[in-house]
Amino acid sequence: MEVKVHLFAKAKELAGGSLYITCRLEGSSILCRDFLENHVFEVEPKLRVLKDSAYLAVNDNYVLPEDRLDLKETDDIAFIPPISGG
């Protein structure tokens, strides 16, 4: 199965301006931290610098590293770095 992970702000910049990355999964159930380590950071290693400060959201809901994800190809997945503004 393939899922698209949308990138924003600093994550998009680190990925060379890409709006998303595509990750291949075996099965659909995976821990969030494993999804990040074994898929997101493997596809785009430069995102690893955001490991301790970014969040993952699935279908507009933030998920914690210990949460189990049951992903579908149609899910809206976002890798959200810290955003500052003024």
Coordinates of all heavy atoms in Angstrom, one line a residue:
M1 N 0.8 -1.2 0.0 CA 0.0 0.0 0.0 C 0.9 1.2 0.0 O 2.0 1.2 0.6 CB -0.9 0.0 1.3 CG -1.6 1.2 1.5 SD -2.8 1.2 2.9 CE -1.7 1.1 4.3
E2 N 0.5 2.3 -0.7 CA 1.2 3.5 -0.7 C 0.3 4.6 0.0 O -0.9 4.7 -0.3 CB 1.5 4.0 -2.1 CG 2.6 3.2 -2.8 CD 3.0 3.8 -4.1 OE1 2.3 4.7 -4.6 OE2 4.0 3.3 -4.7
V3 N 1.0 5.4 0.8 CA 0.3 6.6 1.4 C 1.1 7.8 1.1 O 2.3 7.8 1.0 CB 0.1 6.4 2.9 CG1 -0.9 5.2 3.2 CG2 1.4 6.2 3.7
K4 N 0.4 8.9 1.0 CA 1.1 10.2 0.8 C 1.1 11.0 2.1 O 0.1 11.0 2.8 CB 0.3 11.1 -0.3 CG 0.5 10.6 -1.7 CD -0.2 11.5 -2.6 CE 0.0 11.0 -4.1 NZ -0.7 11.8 -5.0
V5 N 2.3 11.5 2.4 CA 2.4 12.3 3.6 C 2.7 13.8 3.2 O 3.7 14.1 2.5 CB 3.6 11.8 4.5 CG1 3.8 12.7 5.7 CG2 3.4 10.4 4.8
H6 N 1.7 14.7 3.5 CA 1.8 16.1 3.1 C 2.9 16.8 4.0 O 2.9 16.5 5.2 CB 0.5 16.7 3.2 CG -0.5 16.1 2.3 ND1 -0.7 16.6 1.0 CD2 -1.4 15.1 2.5 CE1 -1.6 15.8 0.4 NE2 -2.1 14.9 1.3
L7 N 3.6 17.7 3.4 CA 4.7 18.4 4.1 C 4.3 19.9 4.2 O 3.8 20.4 3.2 CB 6.0 18.2 3.4 CG 6.5 16.8 3.2 CD1 7.8 16.7 2.4 CD2 6.6 16.0 4.5
F8 N 4.7 20.5 5.3 CA 4.4 21.9 5.5 C 5.6 22.7 6.0 O 6.5 22.1 6.7 CB 3.2 22.1 6.5 CG 2.0 21.5 6.0 CD1 1.6 20.2 6.4 CD2 1.1 22.2 5.2 CE1 0.5 19.6 6.0 CE2 -0.1 21.6 4.8 CZ -0.4 20.3 5.2
A9 N 5.7 23.9 5.7 CA 6.7 24.9 6.3 C 8.1 24.3 6.2 O 8.5 24.0 5.1 CB 6.3 25.2 7.7
K10 N 8.8 24.2 7.3 CA 10.2 23.8 7.3 C 10.4 22.4 6.7 O 11.4 22.1 6.0 CB 10.8 23.8 8.7 CG 12.2 23.4 8.8 CD 13.1 24.5 8.2 CE 14.6 24.2 8.5 NZ 15.4 25.2 7.8
A11 N 9.4 21.5 6.9 CA 9.5 20.1 6.3 C 9.5 20.2 4.8 O 10.2 19.5 4.2 CB 8.3 19.3 6.9
K12 N 8.6 21.0 4.3 CA 8.5 21.2 2.8 C 9.9 21.8 2.3 O 10.4 21.3 1.3 CB 7.4 22.1 2.5 CG 7.2 22.4 1.0 CD 6.0 23.3 0.8 CE 6.0 23.9 -0.5 NZ 4.9 24.9 -0.7
E13 N 10.4 22.7 3.0 CA 11.7 23.3 2.6 C 12.8 22.3 2.7 O 13.6 22.2 1.7 CB 12.0 24.5 3.6 CG 13.3 25.2 3.3 CD 13.5 26.3 4.4 OE1 12.6 27.0 4.8 OE2 14.6 26.4 4.9
L14 N 12.9 21.5 3.7 CA 13.9 20.4 3.8 C 13.8 19.4 2.7 O 14.8 18.8 2.3 CB 13.8 19.8 5.2 CG 14.3 20.6 6.4 CD1 13.9 19.9 7.7 CD2 15.8 20.8 6.3
A15 N 12.6 19.2 2.2 CA 12.4 18.2 1.2 C 12.5 18.8 -0.2 O 12.0 18.2 -1.2 CB 11.0 17.5 1.4
G16 N 13.1 19.9 -0.3 CA 13.4 20.6 -1.6 C 12.1 21.2 -2.2 O 12.1 21.3 -3.4
G17 N 11.2 21.5 -1.4 CA 10.0 22.2 -1.9 C 8.8 21.2 -2.3 O 7.8 21.6 -2.7
S18 N 9.0 19.9 -2.0 CA 8.0 19.0 -2.3 C 6.8 19.2 -1.4 O 6.9 19.5 -0.2 CB 8.5 17.5 -2.1 OG 9.5 17.2 -3.0
L19 N 5.6 19.0 -2.0 CA 4.4 19.1 -1.2 C 4.1 17.9 -0.4 O 3.4 17.9 0.6 CB 3.2 19.4 -2.1 CG 3.3 20.8 -2.8 CD1 2.1 20.9 -3.8 CD2 3.3 21.9 -1.8
Y20 N 4.6 16.7 -0.8 CA 4.3 15.5 -0.1 C 5.4 14.5 -0.5 O 6.2 14.6 -1.5 CB 3.0 14.9 -0.4 CG 2.8 14.5 -1.9 CD1 3.1 13.3 -2.3 CD2 2.2 15.4 -2.8 CE1 2.9 12.9 -3.7 CE2 2.1 15.1 -4.1 CZ 2.4 13.8 -4.6 OH 2.3 13.5 -5.9
I21 N 5.5 13.4 0.3 CA 6.3 12.3 0.0 C 5.4 11.1 0.0 O 4.3 11.1 0.6 CB 7.5 12.1 1.0 CG1 6.9 11.9 2.4 CG2 8.5 13.2 0.9 CD1 8.0 11.6 3.5
T22 N 5.8 10.0 -0.7 CA 5.0 8.8 -0.8 C 5.8 7.7 -0.1 O 7.0 7.5 -0.3 CB 4.8 8.4 -2.3 OG1 4.1 9.5 -3.0 CG2 4.0 7.1 -2.4
C23 N 5.1 7.0 0.8 CA 5.6 5.9 1.6 C 4.9 4.6 1.3 O 3.7 4.6 1.1 CB 5.5 6.2 3.1 SG 6.3 7.7 3.7
R24 N 5.7 3.6 1.1 CA 5.2 2.2 0.9 C 5.1 1.5 2.2 O 6.0 1.5 3.0 CB 6.0 1.5 -0.1 CG 5.9 1.9 -1.5 CD 6.3 0.8 -2.4 NE 5.7 1.0 -3.7 CZ 6.4 1.6 -4.7 NH1 7.6 1.9 -4.6 NH2 5.8 1.8 -5.9
L25 N 3.9 0.8 2.4 CA 3.7 0.1 3.7 C 3.4 -1.4 3.4 O 2.7 -1.6 2.4 CB 2.6 0.7 4.5 CG 2.7 2.1 5.0 CD1 1.4 2.5 5.6 CD2 3.8 2.3 5.9
E26 N 3.8 -2.2 4.2 CA 3.4 -3.6 4.2 C 2.3 -3.7 5.3 O 2.6 -3.6 6.4 CB 4.5 -4.6 4.5 CG 5.7 -4.6 3.5 CD 5.3 -5.2 2.2 OE1 4.5 -6.1 2.2 OE2 5.8 -4.7 1.2
G27 N 1.1 -3.9 4.9 CA 0.0 -3.9 5.9 C -0.4 -2.4 6.2 O 0.1 -1.5 5.6
S28 N -1.4 -2.3 7.1 CA -1.9 -1.0 7.4 C -1.7 -0.5 8.8 O -1.9 0.6 9.2 CB -3.4 -0.9 7.0 OG -4.1 -1.8 7.8
S29 N -1.5 -1.5 9.8 CA -1.4 -1.1 11.2 C 0.1 -1.0 11.6 O 0.8 -1.9 11.4 CB -2.1 -2.2 12.0 OG -2.1 -1.9 13.4
I30 N 0.4 0.2 12.2 CA 1.8 0.4 12.5 C 1.8 1.5 13.6 O 0.9 2.4 13.7 CB 2.6 0.9 11.3 CG1 4.1 1.0 11.6 CG2 2.0 2.2 10.7 CD1 4.9 1.2 10.3
L31 N 2.8 1.4 14.5 CA 2.9 2.5 15.5 C 3.4 3.7 14.9 O 4.2 3.7 13.9 CB 4.0 2.0 16.6 CG 3.5 1.0 17.6 CD1 4.7 0.6 18.5 CD2 2.4 1.5 18.4
C32 N 3.0 4.9 15.3 CA 3.3 6.1 14.8 C 4.8 6.3 14.7 O 5.4 6.7 13.7 CB 2.7 7.3 15.6 SG 3.1 8.9 15.0
R33 N 5.5 6.0 15.8 CA 7.0 6.2 15.9 C 7.7 5.3 14.8 O 8.7 5.7 14.2 CB 7.6 6.0 17.2 CG 7.7 4.6 17.7 CD 8.5 4.4 19.0 NE 7.9 5.1 20.1 CZ 7.0 4.6 20.9 NH1 6.5 3.4 20.7 NH2 6.5 5.3 21.9
D34 N 7.2 4.1 14.6 CA 7.7 3.2 13.6 C 7.4 3.7 12.2 O 8.3 3.6 11.3 CB 7.2 1.8 13.8 CG 7.6 1.1 15.1 OD1 8.6 1.6 15.6 OD2 6.9 0.2 15.5
F35 N 6.3 4.3 12.0 CA 6.0 4.9 10.7 C 6.9 6.0 10.4 O 7.5 6.1 9.2 CB 4.5 5.4 10.7 CG 4.1 6.0 9.4 CD1 4.0 5.3 8.2 CD2 3.9 7.4 9.3 CE1 3.6 5.9 7.0 CE2 3.5 8.0 8.2 CZ 3.4 7.3 7.0
L36 N 7.2 6.9 11.3 CA 8.1 7.9 11.1 C 9.5 7.4 10.9 O 10.2 7.8 9.9 CB 8.2 8.9 12.3 CG 6.9 9.8 12.5 CD1 7.0 10.4 13.9 CD2 6.8 10.8 11.4
E37 N 10.0 6.5 11.7 CA 11.4 6.0 11.6 C 11.6 5.2 10.3 O 12.6 5.3 9.6 CB 11.8 5.2 12.8 CG 12.1 6.0 14.0 CD 13.4 6.8 13.9 OE1 14.3 6.4 13.2 OE2 13.4 7.9 14.5
N38 N 10.7 4.3 10.1 CA 10.9 3.3 9.0 C 10.4 3.7 7.7 O 10.6 3.0 6.7 CB 10.3 1.9 9.4 CG 10.9 1.4 10.7 OD1 12.1 1.6 10.9 ND2 10.1 0.8 11.5
H39 N 9.6 4.8 7.6 CA 9.0 5.1 6.3 C 9.3 6.6 6.0 O 10.0 6.9 5.0 CB 7.5 4.8 6.3 CG 7.2 3.4 6.5 ND1 7.4 2.5 5.5 CD2 6.8 2.7 7.5 CE1 7.2 1.3 5.9 NE2 6.8 1.4 7.1
V40 N 8.8 7.5 6.8 CA 9.0 8.9 6.5 C 10.5 9.3 6.4 O 10.9 9.9 5.5 CB 8.2 9.8 7.5 CG1 8.5 11.3 7.3 CG2 6.7 9.6 7.4
F41 N 11.2 9.0 7.5 CA 12.6 9.4 7.5 C 13.5 8.6 6.5 O 14.6 9.0 6.1 CB 13.2 9.3 8.9 CG 12.5 10.2 9.9 CD1 12.4 9.8 11.2 CD2 12.0 11.4 9.5 CE1 11.8 10.6 12.2 CE2 11.3 12.2 10.4 CZ 11.2 11.8 11.7
E42 N 13.0 7.4 6.1 CA 13.7 6.6 5.1 C 13.5 7.3 3.7 O 14.5 7.3 2.9 CB 13.2 5.2 5.1 CG 13.7 4.4 6.3 CD 15.2 4.1 6.3 OE1 15.8 3.9 5.3 OE2 15.7 4.2 7.4
V43 N 12.3 7.7 3.4 CA 12.1 8.4 2.2 C 12.7 9.7 2.1 O 13.3 10.1 1.0 CB 10.5 8.5 1.9 CG1 10.2 9.3 0.7 CG2 9.9 7.1 1.8
E44 N 12.7 10.5 3.2 CA 13.3 11.8 3.2 C 14.1 12.0 4.4 O 13.6 12.5 5.4 CB 12.2 12.9 3.1 CG 12.7 14.3 2.9 CD 13.8 14.4 1.8 OE1 13.4 14.4 0.7 OE2 15.0 14.6 2.2
P45 N 15.4 11.6 4.4 CA 16.2 11.6 5.6 C 16.4 13.0 6.2 O 16.6 13.1 7.4 CB 17.6 11.0 5.1 CG 17.2 10.2 3.9 CD 16.0 10.9 3.3
K46 N 16.3 14.0 5.4 CA 16.5 15.4 5.9 C 15.5 15.8 6.9 O 15.7 16.7 7.7 CB 16.5 16.4 4.8 CG 17.7 16.3 3.8 CD 17.7 17.2 2.7 CE 18.8 17.0 1.7 NZ 18.7 17.8 0.6
L47 N 14.3 15.1 6.9 CA 13.3 15.4 7.9 C 13.6 15.0 9.3 O 13.0 15.4 10.3 CB 11.9 14.8 7.4 CG 11.3 15.3 6.1 CD1 10.1 14.6 5.8 CD2 11.1 16.8 6.2
R48 N 14.6 14.1 9.4 CA 15.0 13.6 10.7 C 15.4 14.7 11.7 O 15.2 14.5 12.9 CB 16.1 12.6 10.5 CG 16.4 11.7 11.8 CD 17.4 10.7 11.5 NE 17.1 9.7 10.5 CZ 16.3 8.6 10.7 NH1 15.8 8.4 11.9 NH2 16.0 7.8 9.7
V49 N 15.9 15.8 11.2 CA 16.2 16.9 12.1 C 15.0 17.5 12.9 O 15.1 18.1 13.9 CB 17.0 18.1 11.4 CG1 18.2 17.6 10.8 CG2 16.1 18.8 10.4
L50 N 13.8 17.2 12.4 CA 12.6 17.6 13.0 C 12.0 16.6 13.9 O 10.9 16.7 14.5 CB 11.5 18.0 12.0 CG 12.0 19.2 11.0 CD1 11.0 19.3 9.9 CD2 12.2 20.4 11.8
K51 N 12.7 15.5 14.1 CA 12.1 14.3 14.8 C 11.5 14.6 16.2 O 10.5 14.1 16.5 CB 13.3 13.3 15.0 CG 12.9 12.0 15.7 CD 14.1 11.1 15.9 CE 13.7 9.9 16.7 NZ 14.8 9.0 16.9
D52 N 12.2 15.5 17.0 CA 11.7 15.7 18.3 C 10.8 16.9 18.4 O 10.3 17.2 19.5 CB 13.0 16.0 19.2 CG 13.8 14.8 19.4 OD1 13.3 13.6 19.4 OD2 15.1 14.9 19.5
S53 N 10.5 17.5 17.3 CA 9.6 18.7 17.4 C 8.4 18.7 16.5 O 7.5 19.5 16.6 CB 10.4 20.0 17.1 OG 11.0 19.9 15.9
A54 N 8.4 17.8 15.5 CA 7.3 17.7 14.6 C 6.2 16.8 15.1 O 6.4 16.0 16.0 CB 7.8 17.2 13.2
Y55 N 5.0 17.0 14.5 CA 3.8 16.1 14.8 C 3.3 15.5 13.6 O 3.5 16.0 12.4 CB 2.7 17.0 15.4 CG 3.0 17.5 16.8 CD1 3.6 18.7 17.0 CD2 2.7 16.7 17.9 CE1 3.8 19.2 18.3 CE2 3.0 17.1 19.2 CZ 3.5 18.4 19.4 OH 3.8 18.8 20.6
L56 N 2.7 14.4 13.7 CA 2.0 13.7 12.6 C 0.5 13.8 12.9 O 0.0 13.7 14.0 CB 2.4 12.2 12.6 CG 2.1 11.5 11.3 CD1 3.0 12.0 10.2 CD2 2.3 10.0 11.5
A57 N -0.2 14.1 11.8 CA -1.7 14.1 11.9 C -2.3 13.2 10.9 O -1.8 13.2 9.8 CB -2.2 15.6 11.7
V58 N -3.3 12.5 11.2 CA -4.0 11.6 10.3 C -5.5 12.0 10.3 O -6.1 12.1 11.4 CB -3.9 10.1 10.7 CG1 -4.6 9.3 9.8 CG2 -2.4 9.7 10.7
N59 N -6.0 12.4 9.2 CA -7.4 12.9 9.0 C -7.7 14.0 10.0 O -8.7 13.9 10.7 CB -8.3 11.7 9.1 CG -8.1 10.7 8.0 OD1 -7.8 11.1 6.9 ND2 -8.3 9.4 8.3
D60 N -6.8 15.0 10.1 CA -7.0 16.2 10.9 C -6.9 15.9 12.4 O -7.3 16.8 13.2 CB -8.3 16.9 10.6 CG -8.4 17.4 9.2 OD1 -7.3 17.8 8.7 OD2 -9.4 17.4 8.6
N61 N -6.4 14.8 12.8 CA -6.2 14.4 14.2 C -4.8 14.2 14.5 O -4.1 13.3 13.9 CB -7.0 13.2 14.6 CG -8.5 13.4 14.5 OD1 -9.0 14.4 15.1 ND2 -9.2 12.6 13.7
Y62 N -4.2 14.9 15.5 CA -2.8 14.7 15.9 C -2.7 13.3 16.5 O -3.6 12.8 17.2 CB -2.3 15.7 16.9 CG -2.1 17.1 16.2 CD1 -3.0 18.1 16.3 CD2 -0.9 17.3 15.6 CE1 -2.7 19.3 15.7 CE2 -0.6 18.5 15.0 CZ -1.5 19.5 15.1 OH -1.3 20.8 14.5
V63 N -1.5 12.7 16.2 CA -1.3 11.4 16.8 C 0.0 11.4 17.6 O 0.9 12.2 17.3 CB -1.2 10.2 15.8 CG1 -2.6 10.0 15.2 CG2 -0.2 10.5 14.7
L64 N 0.1 10.6 18.7 CA 1.3 10.6 19.5 C 2.2 9.4 19.0 O 1.7 8.5 18.4 CB 0.9 10.3 21.0 CG 0.0 11.4 21.6 CD1 -0.5 10.9 23.0 CD2 0.8 12.7 21.7
P65 N 3.5 9.5 19.4 CA 4.4 8.5 18.9 C 4.0 7.0 19.3 O 4.3 6.1 18.5 CB 5.8 8.8 19.6 CG 5.7 10.3 19.8 CD 4.2 10.6 20.1
E66 N 3.4 6.9 20.4 CA 3.0 5.5 20.9 C 1.6 5.1 20.3 O 1.2 4.0 20.6 CB 3.0 5.5 22.4 CG 2.0 6.4 23.1 CD 2.5 7.8 23.4 OE1 3.6 8.2 22.9 OE2 1.8 8.5 24.1
D67 N 0.9 6.0 19.6 CA -0.4 5.6 19.0 C -0.2 4.6 17.9 O 0.8 4.7 17.1 CB -1.1 6.8 18.5 CG -1.6 7.7 19.6 OD1 -1.7 7.3 20.7 OD2 -2.0 8.9 19.3
R68 N -1.1 3.7 17.8 CA -1.2 2.8 16.6 C -2.0 3.4 15.5 O -3.1 3.8 15.7 CB -1.8 1.4 17.0 CG -1.8 0.4 15.9 CD -1.9 -1.0 16.3 NE -0.7 -1.5 17.0 CZ 0.4 -1.8 16.3 NH1 0.5 -1.7 15.0 NH2 1.4 -2.3 17.0
L69 N -1.4 3.4 14.3 CA -2.1 3.9 13.1 C -2.7 2.8 12.3 O -2.0 1.8 12.1 CB -1.1 4.7 12.3 CG -0.3 5.8 13.0 CD1 0.7 6.4 12.0 CD2 -1.2 6.9 13.5
D70 N -3.9 2.9 11.9 CA -4.5 1.9 11.0 C -4.8 2.7 9.7 O -5.9 3.3 9.5 CB -5.8 1.3 11.6 CG -5.5 0.4 12.8 OD1 -4.7 -0.4 12.6 OD2 -6.1 0.6 13.8
L71 N -3.8 2.7 8.8 CA -3.8 3.6 7.7 C -4.5 3.0 6.5 O -4.5 1.8 6.3 CB -2.4 4.0 7.3 CG -1.6 4.7 8.4 CD1 -0.1 4.9 7.9 CD2 -2.2 6.1 8.7
K72 N -5.1 3.9 5.7 CA -5.7 3.5 4.4 C -5.1 4.5 3.3 O -4.7 5.6 3.7 CB -7.2 3.7 4.4 CG -7.9 2.8 5.4 CD -9.4 3.0 5.4 CE -9.9 4.3 6.1 NZ -9.5 4.6 7.4
E73 N -5.1 4.1 2.1 CA -4.5 4.9 1.1 C -5.2 6.2 0.9 O -4.6 7.2 0.5 CB -4.5 4.2 -0.3 CG -3.5 3.1 -0.4 CD -3.5 2.4 -1.7 OE1 -4.6 2.1 -2.3 OE2 -2.4 2.1 -2.2
T74 N -6.4 6.3 1.4 CA -7.2 7.5 1.2 C -7.0 8.5 2.4 O -7.6 9.6 2.4 CB -8.7 7.2 1.1 OG1 -9.1 6.4 2.2 CG2 -9.0 6.5 -0.2
D75 N -6.3 8.1 3.5 CA -6.1 8.9 4.6 C -5.3 10.2 4.3 O -4.4 10.2 3.5 CB -5.4 8.2 5.7 CG -6.2 7.2 6.5 OD1 -7.5 7.3 6.5 OD2 -5.7 6.2 7.1
D76 N -5.7 11.2 5.0 CA -5.0 12.5 4.8 C -3.9 12.6 6.0 O -4.3 12.7 7.1 CB -5.9 13.7 5.0 CG -5.3 15.0 4.8 OD1 -4.2 15.1 4.1 OD2 -5.8 16.0 5.3
I77 N -2.6 12.4 5.6 CA -1.5 12.3 6.6 C -0.7 13.6 6.4 O -0.3 13.9 5.3 CB -0.7 11.0 6.3 CG1 -1.6 9.8 6.4 CG2 0.4 11.0 7.4 CD1 -0.9 8.6 5.9
A78 N -0.4 14.2 7.5 CA 0.4 15.4 7.5 C 1.6 15.3 8.5 O 1.4 14.9 9.6 CB -0.4 16.6 7.8
F79 N 2.8 15.7 8.0 CA 4.0 15.9 8.8 C 4.1 17.3 9.1 O 4.4 18.1 8.2 CB 5.2 15.3 8.1 CG 6.4 15.3 8.9 CD1 6.7 14.3 9.8 CD2 7.4 16.3 8.8 CE1 7.9 14.3 10.6 CE2 8.5 16.4 9.5 CZ 8.8 15.3 10.4
I80 N 3.9 17.7 10.4 CA 3.8 19.1 10.7 C 4.9 19.6 11.7 O 4.9 19.1 12.8 CB 2.4 19.4 11.4 CG1 1.3 18.9 10.5 CG2 2.3 20.9 11.7 CD1 -0.1 18.9 11.2
P81 N 5.8 20.4 11.2 CA 6.9 20.9 12.0 C 6.4 22.0 12.9 O 5.3 22.5 12.7 CB 7.9 21.4 11.0 CG 7.1 21.8 9.8 CD 5.9 20.9 9.8
P82 N 7.2 22.4 13.9 CA 6.8 23.6 14.7 C 6.7 24.8 13.8 O 7.5 25.0 12.9 CB 7.9 23.7 15.7 CG 9.1 22.9 15.2 CD 8.5 21.9 14.2
I83 N 5.7 25.6 14.0 CA 5.5 26.8 13.2 C 5.5 28.0 14.1 O 4.9 28.0 15.1 CB 4.1 26.7 12.5 CG1 4.1 25.5 11.5 CG2 3.9 28.0 11.7 CD1 2.8 25.2 10.9
S84 N 6.3 28.9 13.7 CA 6.4 30.2 14.5 C 5.8 31.3 13.6 O 5.8 31.2 12.4 CB 7.8 30.5 14.9 OG 8.6 30.7 13.7
G85 N 5.4 32.3 14.3 CA 4.8 33.4 13.6 C 4.7 34.6 14.5 O 5.0 34.6 15.6
G86 N 4.1 35.6 13.9 CA 4.1 36.8 14.7 C 2.9 37.7 14.3 O 2.1 37.5 13.5

